[in-house]
Structure formats: C-alpha cells, structure tokens
Amino acid sequence: MATSDPSKLDRIVAEARRNAEKREESYREQALKIYPWICGRCGREFTRANLRELTVHHRDHNHDNNPSDGSNWELLCLYCHDNEHQRQLEAGTGSNTRDDRNATHSPFANLKSLLADKKRS
Ligand SMILES: [Zn+2]
Ligand SMILES: [Zn+2]
C-alpha cells in the first residue's frame, strides 16, 4: 500500500494555483517597474519595507488583461484598493462610469411598506 502520489485533481489544482501566482508576480513586478510606488488615490508613498501593502489594480477588473505598457494597471494601497472594489460592487457589474448611476429604480422601495404590513399583522 504505497500510495504516496497525491490525487490527480490535487495536482491540477496545485499547478493552477502556482501558475496564477506566477502570473500575478510577473505583472506585479512589471507594474512596479513602470509606475512610481505611490498609491494612485491617496498619494501614499511606499518603500521596499511596506511594498506588500501596495497592490496592482486592474482598471477593467480583468486580471487576464495585462498589456505590457501597463495601461490596465493602477497601483493602489490596500485601503484604496478595497474602496475601489467596493464602489464597483455598489455600482453594479459591467459599468465603469461612476457618476452615471441610474437611481430611478430602488430595490428597497417596497421594503418599508412590507415591514409596515408585517408589523400590522
Ligand atoms: Zn491609497
Ligand atoms: Zn483591483
């Protein structure tokens, strides 16, 4: 019973993860070469000591889109990066226009009356 081989699936998963990490490292390295180590939102400056807190954001949110001229990358600190993605979630998927929110439809418009109904019954 010498089954020391990891299962095939485990191997595939491990390899995919390794490839993803490799790809991420390479675009991160490139982005750090092209751009100054400054957060594009809050202007915080970074050094080698805290460089881990500087992230490479993809403007179109597609991590597979890595043009070598860096046009899809933006260096953001962890906080601003979080905010950027939060805003994207709130604005809904597929839209990059921040000021163009369509506020005519509110999913919670009925909530108040629904709650009121519940209270009454
Ligand atoms: Zn920042
Ligand atoms: Zn991002």
Side-chain angles (χ1 to χ4, degrees):
M1 290 260 284
T3 51
S4 60
D5 268 5
S7 77
K8 200 179 177 189
L9 185 65
D10 279 353
R11 250 195 331 252
I12 289 171
V13 169
E15 194 172 311
R17 190 176 301 149
R18 227 176 7 247
N19 286 340
E21 277 169 10
K22 230 183 261 171
R23 189 183 56 193
E24 187 176 323
E25 258 167 40
S26 70
Y27 74 60
R28 182 178 161 83
E29 246 168 52
Q30 287 180 62
L32 290 175
K33 262 183 224 162
I34 296 175
Y35 292 111
W37 296 355
I38 296 171
C39 172
R41 286 285 180 282
C42 68
R44 191 176 154 198
E45 290 183 34
F46 287 80
T47 63
R48 283 201 181 278
N50 59 2
L51 194 59
R52 268 184 314 149
E53 291 169 41
L54 188 63
T55 62
V56 179
H57 172 63
H58 289 75
R59 290 176 191 272
D60 69 353
H61 290 246
N62 178 6
H63 287 208
D64 293 320
N65 183 13
N66 293 302
S68 55
D69 65 354
S71 56
N72 193 36
W73 300 326
E74 195 172 18
L75 296 185
L76 298 177
C77 76
L78 283 178
Y79 304 102
C80 295
H81 195 197
D82 263 11
N83 284 341
E84 186 65 29
H85 280 255
Q86 199 62 40
R87 194 161 45 191
Q88 195 70 22
L89 286 176
E90 282 165 9
T93 50
S95 167
N96 276 326
T97 47
R98 283 162 197 148
D99 301 326
D100 187 32
R101 284 201 205 173
N102 196 341
T104 49
H105 174 73
S106 166
F108 301 117
N110 290 326
L111 199 60
K112 251 188 184 162
S113 56
L114 282 173
L115 288 174
D117 277 353
K118 267 214 178 107
K119 251 179 229 161
R120 236 180 278 135
S121 59

